[in-house]
Amino acid sequence: DSVWECVQLEGLIQPIEQTSEFSVTLFGGTVVLSWKLSGSSLQLRVQSKKRSRWLSLSIGTEMEGGHAYVAWIDPRGEGRLSAYNMDNREASGIKQAVEDLQDVEVLYADGLISFTFERGLSGSPSVPSIDPSAEVPFTWALGESWRDCSTLDSPQPDPQSGSQSCQLTDNDIHSDRSARAVYVDLQSGFSRTDGLDLLLVAHGWLLFLAWGVLVPAAIAAARFLKVYTSPAGLWLKIHQLSISAAALGSILGIALAIAEKGESRQHFGSSHSQMGLAVLALLAFNGMRGFLRPKPQQIAENTTKLGRLHTSKRSWWECEHRVVAGVGVVLAFITMLLGIQEFERRGLGADWKYKVALVAWFGAIGCLVLAREISNQYINKSSRIRHSNRLNQEGTGRIETTRTMRSNEEL
């Protein structure tokens, strides 16, 4: 049946001459695929942006059932390229396919692998046909160890050649791969990726709402709303409610990330997830310290700021509370940038736009805070000047009154 299907497909494929070369970055932003149609053949070039010892391009939506072209560097430092069919996800399920590949070139420079080859559009029982008028799904993988398994079914040395054949093991599996397939229209160059998992989308928005909106609101309330005495404790209520909501959103967001299927067991192995846990720990620590804050102490009015810091436990606590909050916000910002990169691995296109938007958001918040600080400094300075002038005027008035009284007494 499979042979009949290949014959039928071959009859449908028409020779196409493509004058220009198309290129697309595959899912995750690590591998770039370029191609050119020439008659009844397809020229492919695959380039990796990440260092590895082998690199593969697979035709198929998943690893299982895919047809892969694997380029690797053998122990002698020479580049090799072979085609494989993947019956299942285990290393033992990878079988080498017999395929006629032309103009093969494997390059290895600065730890980066790239390879080019040309294959026919028609296939065979072990090689899938490619219809250039339909979307073709591509995935990629790379790793550090690969061996030539040209005779997978006979792991013993060949009596005639004496060469050692081998079976692939779990040591030869990938160290990185695309989590989703990119569907490519070979004729137009258009590509698309399946949408993100809704759990990841909710995770990202919850954490942005927590650390991009609620935590800055809590800090702003503590910094700028203390001057408003009615209703009593307004700033503290806003501060506590915002922090509590941010903590709840953070915990729920992390739970959604853990529940996300696919690579959930590796969630705490990335820099993004580790920094996220550190940020949550800082939030929990600062919240706990907030509830255990020392009571304000009575200090003489003429005591300097340094003197207040040395004599008041409350002053020490306020300094610590602010520093931890500031460090938490900075780490949260970095964690969100790393999170955008993780989203890119799952199909979020043009991640630089999201990074620019995030930087602009926090930049706008910083500008507003700076403007308010400058305004407060100006208001405080003006108030001190008016107060000083009033005291000077009152002092001058008392001096004039005293002089008048003395003159009257003399009279």
Side-chain angles (χ1 to χ4, degrees):
D1 292 339
S2 60
V3 175
W4 181 85
E5 292 175 358
C6 289
V7 172
Q8 293 300 313
L9 282 174
E10 183 176 2
L12 293 174
I13 296 174
Q14 300 297 326
I16 297 175
E17 189 68 33
Q18 183 174 294
T19 57
S20 59
E21 181 179 271
F22 292 113
S23 180
V24 63
T25 299
L26 297 183
F27 190 96
T30 301
V31 174
V32 177
L33 170 65
S34 304
W35 70 92
K36 183 178 180 180
L37 291 169
S38 179
S40 59
S41 64
L42 174 64
Q43 301 172 4
L44 293 167
R45 183 170 75 250
V46 186
Q47 298 171 287
S48 174
K49 299 179 181 179
K50 186 175 182 179
R51 294 184 177 183
S52 64
R53 295 290 294 182
W54 65 265
L55 172 66
S56 73
L57 174 73
S58 177
I59 301 175
T61 57
E62 296 182 356
M63 179 184 301
E64 185 175 357
H67 182 75
Y69 300 95
V70 181
W72 76 96
I73 306 302
D74 64 18
R76 294 176 295 180
E78 297 180 359
R80 307 285 297 277
L81 177 67
S82 294
Y84 298 86
N85 288 320
M86 294 175 283
D87 296 338
N88 54 57
R89 294 178 178 272
E90 303 298 328
S92 59
I94 300 177
K95 307 295 183 181
Q96 188 169 22
V98 178
E99 184 175 359
D100 183 23
L101 302 179
Q102 302 294 328
D103 299 328
V104 174
E105 183 180 28
V106 179
L107 301 178
Y108 185 70
D110 297 328
L112 303 177
I113 296 180
S114 64
F115 62 92
T116 59
F117 65 94
E118 182 176 341
R119 58 151 289 175
L121 295 176
S122 59
S124 67
S126 61
V127 179
S129 298
I130 295 179
D131 184 357
S133 62
E135 291 183 335
V136 181
F138 289 101
T139 59
W140 59 267
L142 53 82
E144 295 300 324
S145 172
W146 193 270
R147 289 173 291 177
D148 185 8
C149 299
S150 57
T151 54
L152 288 174
D153 297 328
S154 57
Q156 300 299 322
D158 190 324
Q160 296 181 353
S161 63
S163 62
Q164 178 71 42
S165 59
C166 62
Q167 282 277 9
L168 290 174
T169 66
D170 290 338
N171 293 328
D172 302 308
I173 63 175
H174 57 266
S175 59
D176 196 6
R177 67 178 179 88
S178 56
R180 297 179 188 269
V182 171
Y183 293 83
V184 177
D185 187 323
L186 298 177
Q187 291 183 353
S188 66
F190 174 80
S191 64
R192 66 176 180 87
T193 306
D194 287 339
L196 285 170
D197 194 303
L198 292 179
L199 292 178
L200 285 178
V201 175
H203 165 81
W205 279 109
L206 277 174
L207 270 298
F208 171 76
L209 179 64
W211 286 94
V213 178
L214 293 174
V215 171
I219 295 174
R223 179 61 179 166
F224 302 119
L225 297 185
K226 291 182 180 180
V227 295
Y228 300 98
T229 58
S230 179
L234 173 64
W235 74 268
L236 184 59
K237 293 178 182 179
I238 296 177
H239 181 78
Q240 291 177 339
L241 286 175
S242 298
I243 290 297
S244 299
L248 180 62
S250 298
I251 294 173
L252 182 58
I254 292 176
L256 291 176
I258 295 175
E260 187 266 332
K261 296 179 180 180
E263 297 183 63
S264 57
R265 64 183 181 274
Q266 301 178 2
H267 262 297
F268 299 106
S270 65
S271 299
H272 167 72
S273 58
Q274 292 170 359
M275 290 188 67
L277 291 176
V279 169
L280 184 60
L282 287 177
L283 179 63
F285 172 80
N286 228 21
M288 180 184 65
R289 290 285 292 157
F291 284 107
L292 300 177
R293 62 188 180 278
K295 296 181 179 180
Q297 299 177 359
Q298 295 294 332
I299 302 176
E301 293 184 0
N302 60 350
T303 306
T304 63
K305 290 184 178 181
L306 184 60
R308 290 172 183 267
L309 187 61
H310 281 295
T311 57
S312 173
K313 292 182 179 180
R314 177 64 177 234
S315 298
W316 277 106
W317 173 85
E318 289 179 354
C319 181
E320 170 199 289
H321 196 64
R322 292 170 182 172
V323 169
V324 173
V327 171
V329 171
V330 172
L331 290 181
F333 172 70
I334 298 174
T335 303
M336 281 187 270
L337 289 177
L338 294 175
I340 292 176
Q341 294 181 358
E342 290 294 321
F343 268 58
E344 168 65 16
R345 282 183 47 78
R346 291 164 172 81
L348 184 63
D351 68 318
W352 64 270
K353 295 182 181 179
Y354 294 85
K355 290 180 180 178
V356 170
L358 184 64
V359 171
W361 174 262
F362 276 89
I365 292 176
C367 289
L368 290 175
V369 171
L370 181 61
R372 185 58 188 267
E373 287 289 347
I374 294 175
S375 175
N376 284 353
Q377 291 294 330
Y378 176 78
I379 293 173
N380 292 337
K381 183 178 180 180
S382 300
S383 178
R384 287 194 300 268
I385 292 175
R386 288 194 300 268
H387 181 66
S388 177
N389 291 337
R390 185 167 59 251
L391 291 178
N392 291 335
Q393 291 174 359
E394 291 176 356
T396 303
R398 285 195 297 269
I399 293 174
E400 292 296 332
T401 301
T402 302
R403 288 178 179 176
T404 303
M405 292 177 62
R406 289 179 177 176
S407 298
N408 291 335
E409 289 177 356
E410 292 176 356
L411 291 173

